[in-house]
Amino acid sequence: MPLVDFQDDSSIRLVVDYYISWQIIDYFNLQIFKMNPRYILYFNLVVNDISLLTILTLAQVLSYIIYTLKVWLCISLLFFGVVADVNNPMTLAVMAIECYVAVCFPLRHSQIITVKKTYIVLGFIWFISVMFFLPDLFISLATEPLDFFQSRVFCLPENIFRMSILQQKNTVIKAVLLVTVCLTLIYTYFKILFTAKSASADTKKARNTVLLHSFQLMLSMLTYVNYPISTGLTILFPQSVPAIRFSVAIIVNVMPRLISPLVYGIRDKEFRKYLKRYLVCKS
């Protein structure tokens, strides 16, 4: 009998998914969201959030029901989860740069940050994210016996990509990526803070947005301590393994996903207007 009530977990994610979903509906329906680079970047972040929450929910449910998965199925889940996870911090960095340009170069913002350039940057981000995963897959295909991919394992990256060099490679790349993103967020925050002479509402909002991006990135970095924390708590409390996995998953994966709707969904006047429309069920 599991120690975790899935209804509590599902209710949290359903609230997040519902809130994010109506924002996607508005994105497709309204021209203002399609032609604004800021909202295009946000939409990319929303897609990542939904992907991660969906994969997390599916993986958790399957782990409770059948515990182990076929290796090929686990690889499929890991692909979407890892790509979205790597994509997320890079998107946050680009969004912070957009805020910096909007505040520090307002007259040139429309020339520097265009819809075309935004899609090019997003394409580059997705390319890097996919290339982060594919080498591990190709190396495993070349080194592992074919029957390994039909075997069953508990779905964790270290159980699929078993070569230690791959784990070291991923650790180094993620560390470089996060350091780069952190430096970008710090730079843009202080440039916004010191370059903008007036304490206008837009300037304060941009500064606070970069701070929230930094907080979200800090929460995302908890993924690095996910495995050791889960392992340590499991050793200390072996009778509470399901509860430990549930709690760690909420803190590490769900909490960062809650920040994005707050940053743009509630604080943004356009999204706030349509949020009120959906809450009162008006067209």
Side-chain angles (χ1 to χ4, degrees):
M1 195 69 186
L3 299 179
V4 177
D5 184 0
F6 273 111
Q7 292 180 354
D8 295 338
D9 186 24
S10 300
S11 63
I12 295 173
R13 292 173 188 170
L14 283 174
V15 170
V16 179
D17 287 342
Y18 170 77
Y19 185 82
I20 293 174
S21 296
W22 68 256
Q23 293 177 345
I24 292 181
I25 294 172
D26 273 335
Y27 176 87
F28 282 115
N29 290 338
L30 300 174
Q31 193 69 17
I32 184 175
F33 296 148
K34 295 179 182 178
M35 301 307 296
N36 190 320
R38 181 172 299 177
Y39 294 124
I40 294 173
L41 291 169
Y42 175 63
F43 173 72
N44 184 71
L45 198 65
V46 166
V47 170
N48 285 324
D49 290 344
I50 291 179
S51 300
L52 284 171
L53 287 172
T54 302
I55 295 298
L56 172 65
T57 302
L58 182 59
Q60 273 201 314
V61 170
L62 290 175
S63 68
Y64 274 88
I65 296 174
I66 56 178
Y67 190 72
T68 58
L69 302 178
K70 291 280 190 178
V71 169
W72 63 265
L73 177 57
C74 181
I75 289 175
S76 301
L77 295 176
L78 286 176
F79 173 77
F80 293 104
V82 169
V83 169
D85 188 44
V86 175
N87 193 301
N88 194 280
M90 289 189 288
T91 305
L92 289 175
V94 176
M95 294 173 78
I97 293 173
E98 189 277 331
C99 288
Y100 159 69
V101 174
V103 172
C104 300
F105 305 97
L107 299 180
R108 298 178 56 196
H109 178 265
S110 60
Q111 298 175 345
I112 298 174
I113 310 294
T114 64
V115 172
K116 182 179 179 181
K117 290 179 181 177
T118 301
Y119 281 119
I120 291 174
V121 170
L122 287 179
F124 182 68
I125 289 175
W126 278 96
F127 175 77
I128 292 178
S129 302
V130 171
M131 291 307 298
F132 180 86
F133 182 86
L134 287 183
D136 294 1
L137 176 59
F138 291 150
I139 291 174
S140 296
L141 288 172
T143 57
E144 298 287 356
L146 290 180
D147 57 353
F148 169 72
F149 298 95
Q150 292 296 327
S151 62
R152 305 183 72 92
V153 297
F154 188 76
C155 192
L156 290 173
E158 54 268 25
N159 293 338
I160 304 297
F161 309 118
R162 299 185 291 185
M163 295 181 63
S164 59
I165 188 66
L166 295 180
Q167 299 174 22
Q168 295 171 8
K169 182 266 294 182
N170 291 339
T171 300
V172 171
I173 292 178
K174 279 190 174 182
V176 172
L177 173 64
L178 285 177
V179 168
T180 303
V181 173
C182 285
L183 291 176
T184 301
L185 292 174
I186 292 171
Y187 176 81
T188 54
Y189 174 77
F190 282 104
K191 290 296 287 186
I192 290 173
L193 186 65
F194 295 119
T195 303
K197 303 299 182 182
S198 62
S200 64
D202 290 339
T203 300
K204 291 181 179 179
K205 184 176 178 180
R207 187 181 61 201
N208 292 335
T209 298
V210 175
L211 276 179
L212 285 170
H213 286 331
S214 302
F215 179 65
Q216 184 177 1
L217 180 67
M218 183 183 68
L219 290 176
S220 299
M221 290 174 67
L222 291 174
T223 55
Y224 286 105
V225 294
N226 184 1
Y227 182 71
I229 288 178
S230 298
T231 303
L233 291 176
T234 299
I235 295 174
L236 293 175
F237 308 100
Q239 73 282 4
S240 303
V241 173
I244 290 172
R245 288 179 186 157
F246 168 80
S247 302
V248 173
I250 291 295
I251 295 172
V252 172
N253 295 287
V254 176
M255 287 300 295
R257 310 284 86 77
L258 292 173
I259 302 299
S260 296
L262 290 175
V263 171
Y264 280 97
I266 294 178
R267 296 176 68 247
D268 187 273
K269 63 180 181 179
E270 291 294 335
F271 275 130
R272 190 164 59 244
K273 178 173 67 176
Y274 292 99
L275 171 62
K276 293 178 181 178
R277 187 188 76 181
Y278 275 85
L279 287 177
V280 297
C281 300
K282 290 183 178 180
S283 58

